[in-house]
Amino acid sequence: MSSSSPIVGGGPKKVLYTLQTVARIGVGKAAKALTAKNTCKACAYGMGGQKGGMTNELGEFPSVCNKSVQAQSTDIQPGMPHEVFEHSLADLRELSGKEMETLGRLDTPLHKGPGEDRYRPVDWDFAMARVAERLRATNPSRSFFYSSGRSSNEAGFVFQLLARAWGTNNVNNCSYYCHQATSEGLGTTIGKGTATVELEDLTKADLIFVIGANPSSNHPRFIHMLKACRDRGGEVIVINPAREPGLVKFAVPKSPTSMLKGGSEIASDYVQPRIGGDIALMKGLAKALLEMQFEERAFIERHTEGFAAFEADLQALAWSRIVAESGVSEEEIEHIAIRYGQARNVVFAWGMGMTHHVHGVENVEAIANLALLRGMIGRPGAGLLPLRGHSNVQGIGTIGVKPLVSEAVFARMEAAFGITLSREKGFDTLAGLEAAARGEIDAAVIMGGNLWAATPDTAFADKALGSIGFKLYLTTTLNRGHVHGQGEGESIILPVTARDEEWSPTTQESMFNFIRLSDGGITRLDTVRPETVILCDLAERLLPGSPIDFAAFKEHRHVREAIARIVPGLEQLADIDVAKREFHIRNRVMHAPEFGTADGKGHFVVTPLPRHADAPLTLATVRSEGQFNSIIYEETDSYRDGAGRDAIFLNRDDMAAFGVSEGQAITLASAAGRMAGHVKGFDLPRGSAMAYYPEANVLVGRASDPRSKTPAFKSVPVWIES
């Protein structure tokens, strides 16, 4: 790569942005928030906890990024002026996502009555009594409970326990819109659904693959590990249809040398397959490895099954088809295969560019196949790393916020509390909304997040959520999901504490399976309550006489003791608040080839090449540098040349072929809807397009992976209408 590349990631602008944000919220408040012993509220890469708010588990300081500061800036806001609620929902719908997030912290319960067009502040007694009244009048089977990945393990456990004790397994979470395909794909290949590496393993890798992810925007701390790999002579191979500037070169604010020289080279090789061409590329890499005899035969014979069928499938696959389907030349595939074949310790990291397809599970299986082929699972310094989004999305799944938990966990819950639970599988996230659209859901309990903005097909999201007669939201701030999709039903919004404001300590799980302890204890608003306290108060009203002592669970120590007895691998949670010992979940990190499959071996899986839709363009929805999940912090994208939220990114040769020019207003169309935007030239393969999530959700249909139920946000057939 050319050393003359401009600064395209990190750099002085991010430093200035951070300083400006800190100045706006106050240096004292910012310092207190960022240094307290609480887990970072941003991505699941994980920082903070008992080593300090800006320290990771390796003891590295300062481990903080602009995402951390952005998250804190939202929580440190003063209370929202109650004059806001004099405005109708129609008025509030005129606000952008950023404008909604910066109205201030919600500091009062809100109520919208049936058929009403606005929220009004109410007191806690009215709100809790009304919630209990509406839920008591609801058949539990006609409800669903949805949680984001922001909540604590303690709140998540009580959340799912309340739902199941009340009588429904319609318990789901945001992972069905992000990494559920990872859990399914790793389950079939290695018998475990999470990362096989810990953070320290990244310091030993001499090659790191970054596949279908843009960590320069979404996991900035991971960029430090990529730079460190390059600094010690290792390689970073990026596989992404879009040539993301922050993955080409990144000026690391923590590194004076990186800043002074105008940025550090991140990618040693950058491979750009066509959107949806990843399986063909992975199969091409595997085929090249076998042809050059880079496979680890001893490992394969001793520790795996299914290799013969896997090898036969590759032998029958012609190179011409691999090239045509992937959009990558045979020469480039062979070059990457040689780099992989000669590396000693390799980590494969991937994001939602792999999971947001109707073949998302197969994408993940193809990655696992590549790792198994060279024995890169089951030893230090090598393995698999799904780059998960929200700070506790993995923990929420671990402690049971999902439609069906294992029989062992069901049995332990029943034994612990003296109850009998249904084994009927509940709705996944999209299925719950589809049931709502059919008129089959009367109530929804939504803890955190923005389910409306996260859901594909915006018109469908409006209809589905608007059809629910009663909705309860638990949130720190208002977002567009609280004013869209309301319909004629009734809604109550309850203001909750942020993580560092919890009344008793909480825990979170990182993408490295590491459990951190957050002290909480900061007081900013007197009128907000912890999610667990709210849920326990609701349980006492909804389930009088229950053998479960929900009142005790308002103190999180008792929740952790229950989790430790019930959820395998979390035994150390019982005394974490006393011992202050943070830990890796047992049997997750794989430093020996001990797989979680029934036969104890890794399984090669034959992954068929997916069919491509017959459309002029295939769209992938993406996040900007200035957003986190559906939260918009900045209206323009500093890493993509100041693009606005309505940007439609196209290959420049495609622009010429379609007769459109830079900045031109066009309408992009799909079977689901239409999006008006402005053309932005970008380094993409021919036939590819990008637009920002959640604005582009109007184009995303409800096609989903049949195995993981994950919507295909990143392979949408589209065309230019005008």
Side-chain angles (χ1 to χ4, degrees):
M1 298 209 171
S2 170
S3 60
S4 62
S5 300
I7 294 177
V8 291
K13 288 185 179 180
K14 290 297 99 182
V15 175
L16 291 174
Y17 173 82
T18 300
L19 291 175
Q20 290 165 357
T21 305
V22 168
R24 178 168 57 82
I25 63 181
V27 174
K29 287 184 178 179
K32 183 177 183 180
L34 291 170
T35 58
K37 292 182 178 180
N38 292 289
T39 303
C40 173
K41 302 172 187 177
C43 79
Y45 189 79
M47 284 87 71
Q50 292 306 294
K51 290 181 182 292
M54 292 191 287
T55 306
N56 64 24
E57 59 257 45
L58 297 180
E60 295 174 334
F61 175 90
S63 290
V64 70
C65 68
N66 65 310
K67 297 295 180 190
S68 307
V69 176
Q70 287 168 339
Q72 289 291 4
S73 71
T74 300
D75 289 342
I76 295 175
Q77 294 180 100
M80 187 183 305
H82 287 201
E83 288 77 9
V84 168
F85 309 119
E86 296 173 6
H87 292 271
S88 68
L89 293 180
D91 289 341
L92 293 175
R93 283 194 289 268
E94 294 296 316
L95 299 179
S96 69
K98 179 181 179 181
E99 289 168 336
M100 287 288 289
E101 291 287 345
T102 54
L103 287 173
R105 280 286 297 279
L106 183 65
D107 65 351
T108 179
L110 299 176
H111 177 241
K112 183 191 90 68
E116 294 181 353
D117 71 342
R118 67 195 62 217
Y119 287 107
R120 59 185 177 88
V122 295
D123 61 40
W124 275 98
D125 287 342
F126 170 86
M128 293 301 296
R130 185 60 179 164
V131 171
E133 180 183 0
R134 287 303 307 261
L135 292 182
R136 277 197 298 267
T138 300
N139 184 324
S141 67
R142 293 179 62 88
S143 72
F144 71 74
F145 284 60
Y146 168 87
S147 175
S148 78
R150 172 189 61 77
S151 299
S152 66
N153 291 324
E154 292 76 9
F157 183 80
V158 172
F159 186 74
Q160 62 86 35
L161 181 62
L162 166 60
R164 299 189 206 282
W166 183 43
T168 183
N169 285 330
N170 293 337
V171 178
N172 53 67
N173 68 71
C174 56
S175 72
Y176 284 91
Y177 284 171
C178 58
H179 264 292
Q180 186 63 23
T182 288
S183 299
E184 297 290 335
L186 294 185
T188 57
T189 53
I190 66 170
K192 303 181 182 187
T194 62
T196 67
V197 297
E198 59 182 329
L199 183 59
E200 187 176 1
D201 287 319
L202 295 178
T203 68
K204 300 172 182 176
D206 60 332
L207 171 59
I208 301 175
F209 280 94
V210 181
I211 310 170
N214 184 15
S216 60
S217 289
N218 301 316
H219 302 87
R221 292 298 308 172
F222 186 49
I223 293 291
H224 292 250
M225 283 297 179
L226 301 180
K227 175 186 177 295
C229 181
R230 293 299 308 276
D231 287 347
R232 60 179 179 266
E235 297 180 85
V236 172
I237 297 176
V238 176
I239 299 175
N240 195 322
R243 192 174 182 85
E244 296 289 3
L247 297 180
V248 176
K249 200 169 187 179
F250 195 95
V252 180
K254 185 180 175 182
S255 169
T257 302
S258 179
M259 295 283 282
L260 288 172
K261 72 179 184 180
S264 302
E265 305 287 348
I266 301 301
S268 48
D269 284 284
Y270 207 119
V271 185
Q272 294 177 264
R274 60 182 293 184
I275 293 174
D278 306 286
I279 289 178
L281 174 59
M282 300 300 163
K283 294 181 82 160
L285 290 171
K287 185 178 180 72
L289 287 165
L290 289 170
E291 290 178 350
M292 293 183 282
Q293 298 184 332
F294 278 123
E295 75 275 15
E296 292 291 331
R297 286 278 173 175
F299 176 89
I300 291 168
E301 292 171 4
R302 188 175 300 121
H303 299 295
T304 72
E305 290 289 341
F307 177 71
F310 173 75
E311 184 178 34
D313 175 67
L314 294 177
Q315 289 172 344
L317 182 61
W319 272 108
S320 58
R321 190 173 180 202
I322 290 171
V323 170
E325 296 284 339
S326 69
V328 182
S329 71
E330 183 177 350
E331 292 74 22
E332 186 171 9
I333 293 173
E334 288 177 343
H335 167 72
I336 299 303
I338 290 170
R339 305 319 309 146
Y340 177 33
Q342 293 178 343
R344 298 181 308 278
N345 295 317
V346 182
V347 171
F348 291 83
W350 68 93
M352 289 182 290
M354 289 291 96
T355 60
H356 278 170
H357 300 268
V358 294
H359 52 272
V361 174
E362 286 87 350
N363 276 346
V364 174
E365 288 172 334
I367 294 171
N369 285 338
L370 268 183
L372 289 171
L373 196 55
R374 291 213 56 233
M376 291 296 171
I377 304 175
R379 57 190 180 84
L384 305 173
L385 177 61
L387 295 168
R388 299 192 186 259
H390 216 311
S391 55
N392 197 41
V393 64
Q394 190 163 298
I396 286 292
T398 295
I399 53 79
V401 183
K402 49 192 174 185
L404 201 63
V405 296
S406 70
E407 176 55 34
V409 170
F410 267 131
R412 289 179 182 183
M413 276 198 283
E414 290 177 327
F417 302 119
I419 56 176
T420 300
L421 299 173
S422 167
R423 300 304 197 268
E424 183 178 354
K425 186 174 182 179
F427 291 131
D428 60 80
T429 303
L430 185 57
L433 288 167
E434 288 175 332
R438 295 191 300 269
E440 298 171 5
I441 298 294
D442 298 325
V445 181
I446 300 172
M447 186 164 72
N450 183 343
L451 181 55
W452 173 82
T455 295
D457 188 347
T458 305
F460 161 77
D462 277 329
K463 176 185 177 182
L465 287 163
S467 299
I468 300 172
F470 176 70
K471 294 183 285 291
L472 169 63
Y473 300 91
L474 281 66
T475 187
T476 55
T477 60
L478 287 186
N479 60 51
R480 300 188 78 207
H482 298 123
V483 298
H484 288 267
Q486 290 305 308
E488 294 297 307
E490 182 175 5
S491 295
I492 286 180
I493 307 177
L494 300 179
V496 303
T497 54
R499 180 169 299 160
D500 52 2
E501 301 164 353
E502 290 276 1
W503 296 354
S504 62
T506 61
T507 57
Q508 293 77 36
E509 177 187 341
S510 78
M511 69 175 75
F512 297 100
N513 307 296
F514 189 72
I515 298 290
R516 286 181 171 81
L517 177 69
S518 295
D519 285 351
I522 296 175
T523 300
R524 299 189 182 99
L525 301 169
D526 294 330
T527 48
V528 299
R529 298 181 181 179
E531 290 164 330
T532 307
V533 170
I534 295 169
L535 293 169
C536 289
D537 281 342
L538 175 58
E540 290 181 279
R541 295 169 185 257
L542 192 60
L543 301 170
S546 170
I548 303 171
D549 188 358
F550 281 104
F553 283 163
K554 295 177 186 179
E555 169 53 56
H556 291 151
R557 173 172 53 86
H558 298 300
V559 184
R560 287 190 291 273
E561 289 169 351
I563 296 172
R565 293 196 305 272
I566 291 167
V567 181
L570 291 180
E571 293 81 2
Q572 290 176 262
L573 208 61
D575 65 350
I576 191 173
D577 59 320
V578 177
K580 306 291 184 182
R581 282 194 299 268
E582 297 170 319
F583 62 94
H584 285 94
I585 296 177
R586 182 169 51 82
N587 293 330
R588 292 271 185 90
V589 176
M590 292 181 63
H591 285 164
E594 298 166 351
F595 296 92
T597 52
D599 59 9
K601 294 186 176 184
H603 287 222
F604 286 95
V605 176
V606 174
T607 52
L609 293 176
R611 292 178 60 252
H612 295 289
D614 183 18
L617 293 165
T618 302
L619 171 78
T621 65
V622 295
R623 273 75 163 167
S624 73
E625 197 285 326
Q627 77 178 96
F628 181 69
N629 293 338
S630 61
I631 303 172
I632 312 301
Y633 294 110
E634 300 174 59
E635 300 284 2
T636 58
D637 191 340
S638 58
Y639 287 8
R640 297 188 183 115
D641 195 28
R645 299 298 305 174
D646 69 343
I648 296 172
F649 298 94
L650 298 172
N651 173 283
R652 290 178 176 84
D653 290 335
D654 281 339
M655 289 167 58
F658 294 133
V660 299
S661 56
E662 185 78 16
Q664 181 177 335
I666 64 170
T667 297
L668 202 61
S670 74
R674 306 288 183 272
M675 175 184 173
H678 290 85
V679 174
K680 187 81 175 172
F682 204 71
D683 191 344
L684 287 163
R686 292 292 301 268
S688 301
M690 296 193 317
Y692 287 122
Y693 159 99
E695 290 83 354
N697 283 358
V698 294
L699 298 168
V700 180
R702 281 174 279 147
S704 63
D705 182 342
R707 297 168 67 186
S708 69
K709 315 304 181 185
T710 304
F713 287 98
K714 290 191 164 50
S715 48
V716 183
V718 295
W719 57 91
I720 296 173
E721 197 166 71
S722 62

